[in-house]
Amino acid sequence: VLGLLLPAYFLSRFEKTHDSGAEEREAEVVDVVDPGLGAAAGISLGVLVLAGLLAVLAQISESFVDPVVFSWLIDELHYDGKIGRLLALATFMHIPGAWLGAWLMRIDRNWGVVVTIVLKSAVYGAIGLLSFLWGKDSLVLMFIVAMSVVESAMIVAFRSYFMGLSGTKAVATKFALLMSLMNLSVVWASWLGGVVGSVIPVADVFVLAGALQLLALIPLVFLWRKRA
């Protein structure tokens, strides 16, 4: 991790040396990052509240499933000795997932978020609906890969989207607030998933998690209308 400071240091030096005109282009950058913010580059309280609600619902699916994941792998799939390798695979697949999220946001910032929400819902719902195929190792590996990819893609998409919403006034404060609310989604959804997972089968927990993820589309639609 400390090694990452070296390229960051050289990149910052390169930017200061070769990009002295950055300040003059600040207004242009704002327009590219978030068209329509205008000269004030601020956001209304209503937009911030809707963005906060979106953040609270952002990570609902994986957080809802988290309390039953190890039960799924050990009790349902009997992967006691394979959990370490599965976790390593899941961690590695965050890299292409981040690339996917960045690519979607480069195409369209608004629809990129929608695509990641729908993909995430579809993956978790499919895992639950295809529970009769859980005995096939190759399919389980596909599930693990898909879960990791869509989770990382969505995190990148949401962070990019929230950074664009933050404007240029008190950017760090607004962005940190939205990131904190995303972490709050992990807390309440994990608690709810643990309660629900104790009374219904694991397959149903995955299906319900996929359905709940679509709730994030509601504040997103109102956010579009509010900003329009």
Side-chain angles (χ1 to χ4, degrees), residues 95-160:
I95 299 174
W99 287 341
L100 174 62
W103 177 71
L104 289 172
M105 295 304 286
R106 284 177 64 88
I107 295 176
D108 189 284
R109 291 184 61 254
N110 291 322
W111 287 105
V113 176
V114 173
V115 170
T116 57
I117 292 174
V118 174
L119 280 177
K120 202 171 179 187
S121 173
V123 166
Y124 280 84
I127 293 175
L129 293 174
L130 297 176
S131 59
F132 59 92
L133 297 176
W134 284 357
K136 298 184 178 181
D137 290 349
S138 59
L139 192 61
V140 173
L141 289 177
M142 290 178 58
F143 288 156
I144 299 296
V145 168
M147 288 169 62
S148 299
V149 169
V150 296
E151 286 172 13
S152 298
M154 190 173 186
I155 289 175
V156 170
F158 268 75
R159 288 185 176 180
S160 173

Side-chain angles (χ1 to χ4, degrees), residues 144-207:
I144 299 296
V145 168
M147 288 169 62
S148 299
V149 169
V150 296
E151 286 172 13
S152 298
M154 190 173 186
I155 289 175
V156 170
F158 268 75
R159 288 185 176 180
S160 173
Y161 189 74
F162 288 149
M163 181 59 75
L165 283 179
S166 300
T168 57
K169 293 183 178 180
V171 179
T173 301
K174 297 171 187 173
F175 184 70
L177 172 62
L178 294 174
M179 290 299 98
S180 299
L181 290 174
M182 282 187 68
N183 293 333
L184 181 61
S185 72
V186 176
V187 176
W188 77 265
S190 295
W191 172 82
L192 182 61
V195 173
V196 174
S198 64
V199 296
I200 66 174
V202 176
D204 293 341
V205 173
F206 276 99
V207 174

